[in-house]
Amino acid sequence: MKLAIDLSIKNIEKGGGPFGAVIVKDGEIIAASANSVTIDNDPTAHAEVNAIREACKKLQTFDLSGCEIYSSCEPCPMCLGAIYWARIEKLYFANTKKDADAIGFSDNFIYDEIAKPYSERNLKTENFMREEAIKAFEIWSQTENKIEY
């Protein structure tokens, strides 16, 4: 956790956000990264996502089972989703989402939006061409040599 916190502090000097994350497997650091949203002009470049990408490349897998993640702050909804999708087995965090909210990093609007019906969301959302798109899912479900994830 100390490394994640150190990364979050040093990242401010580089022009990035105050967030760091470290992924560990069997007591060994696999990946360590800071937030690079403003540095990379990439809204998905949160510390946790960057660390997950780095760990997957290093281990040459999309499945981080057996890994733990240390985050300097409670992960946002996107990062939490990525942690689940990566199958990371344990999450440790330092600052809370309330702490982040207090300095202008609030995720509350996302949690609120997800709970709303499509028609009530701020992001205009419309479901269409499902009949055409479902074909891909039908093919996938019938494919025997697919890689499950």
Side-chain angles (χ1 to χ4, degrees):
M1 183 61 80
K2 178 84 171 90
L3 177 56
I5 294 168
D6 288 347
L7 286 167
S8 73
I9 293 168
K10 290 177 185 171
N11 200 49
I12 297 167
E13 298 168 7
K14 296 178 183 177
F19 305 97
V22 176
I23 295 177
V24 173
K25 184 171 187 175
D26 300 326
E28 177 187 344
I29 293 174
I30 303 300
S33 187
N35 173 294
S36 62
V37 169
T38 57
I39 296 166
D40 295 338
N41 292 316
D42 179 352
T44 68
H46 291 200
E48 297 89 343
V49 171
N50 287 343
I52 288 168
R53 289 174 179 158
E54 184 181 323
C56 288
K57 283 180 186 175
K58 183 173 183 179
L59 297 176
Q60 298 184 340
T61 182
F62 57 83
D63 184 343
L64 298 179
S65 295
C67 292
E68 300 175 334
I69 189 165
Y70 295 80
S71 180
S72 66
C73 185
E74 186 173 357
C76 75
M78 176 185 68
C79 293
L80 187 59
I83 290 165
Y84 274 103
W85 279 115
R87 296 185 182 112
I88 292 174
E89 294 181 7
K90 188 154 188 184
L91 162 66
Y92 301 91
F93 65 87
N95 291 318
T96 68
K97 59 185 175 184
K98 286 184 181 181
D99 297 329
D101 188 32
I103 62 163
F105 291 95
S106 179
D107 299 323
N108 292 331
F109 75 99
I110 296 173
Y111 289 113
D112 293 344
E113 284 287 302
I114 289 171
K116 293 178 183 178
Y118 299 141
S119 62
E120 294 177 22
R121 292 182 181 173
N122 288 319
L123 174 64
K124 303 301 177 213
T125 304
E126 183 178 337
N127 177 232
F128 75 104
M129 292 187 71
R130 181 179 174 273
E131 294 78 20
E132 292 83 356
I134 201 74
K135 291 175 186 170
F137 285 7
E138 291 167 352
I139 294 167
W140 171 262
S141 67
Q142 295 170 8
T143 301
E144 292 183 20
N145 61 346
K146 62 188 168 217
I147 298 172
E148 301 277 351
Y149 59 95

